[in-house]
Amino acid sequence: QVQLVESGGGLVQAGGSLRLSCAASGRTFSSYAMGWFRQAPGKEREFVAHITWNSGRTYYADSVKGRFTISRDNAKNTVYLQMNSLKPEDTALYYCAAQKYYYGNYVPTSAADFGSWGQGTQVTVSS
């Protein structure tokens, strides 16, 4: 099991950019597919992006497609989320998580399919 720590959040104006990082401990990090989720106040946690263990495939929620990029560096045990053209509706607490099981070509987008959640990093986008 991996332990995850997110960082890189902050306050940014609409149209700006942020790069989130998720540092993992544990020698098995490279074997996990990883996801980013976010949760705004009063709302459920929602899927943002997914990356396979070898960066061979990425997948995005429609709301962030073309603006956000997920990547990973297995040598550094870190997964990233580059966020460009930020909008006020992107304001949320952002979490990374490790996919629980191997699903083949299926990309899970439910929070229930992920574990080892970090504590989250706050992203606030002002208009």
Side-chain angles (χ1 to χ4, degrees):
Q1 190 171 1
V2 295
Q3 294 180 329
L4 305 171
V5 178
E6 301 94 338
S7 62
L11 174 64
V12 63
Q13 288 188 332
S17 298
L18 283 174
R19 188 194 196 202
L20 306 185
S21 298
C22 172
S25 62
R27 293 177 293 175
T28 59
F29 168 76
S30 61
S31 65
Y32 288 92
M34 298 293 295
W36 282 98
F37 287 76
R38 65 187 182 187
Q39 188 166 18
K43 295 187 176 181
E44 293 189 354
R45 193 168 297 189
E46 66 170 352
F47 169 81
V48 174
H50 177 277
I51 188 167
T52 53
W53 70 273
N54 63 351
S55 304
R57 192 156 43 103
T58 57
Y59 184 78
Y60 299 92
D62 287 343
S63 58
V64 307
K65 200 174 295 182
R67 300 188 297 122
F68 290 12
T69 302
I70 187 172
S71 62
R72 68 190 295 165
D73 185 338
N74 286 341
K76 295 183 178 180
N77 275 15
T78 304
V79 62
Y80 305 97
L81 186 68
Q82 177 67 44
M83 306 187 296
N84 298 329
S85 302
L86 282 161
K87 305 174 181 180
E89 51 263 44
D90 294 319
T91 294
L93 190 59
Y94 282 72
Y95 299 90
C96 66
Q99 184 174 310
K100 287 182 181 178
Y101 307 111
Y102 176 69
Y103 293 105
N105 291 327
Y106 171 72
V107 177
T109 59
S110 169
D113 292 317
F114 290 79
S116 302
W117 295 89
Q119 83 291 345
T121 185
Q122 179 67 39
V123 172
T124 304
V125 184
S126 62
S127 57

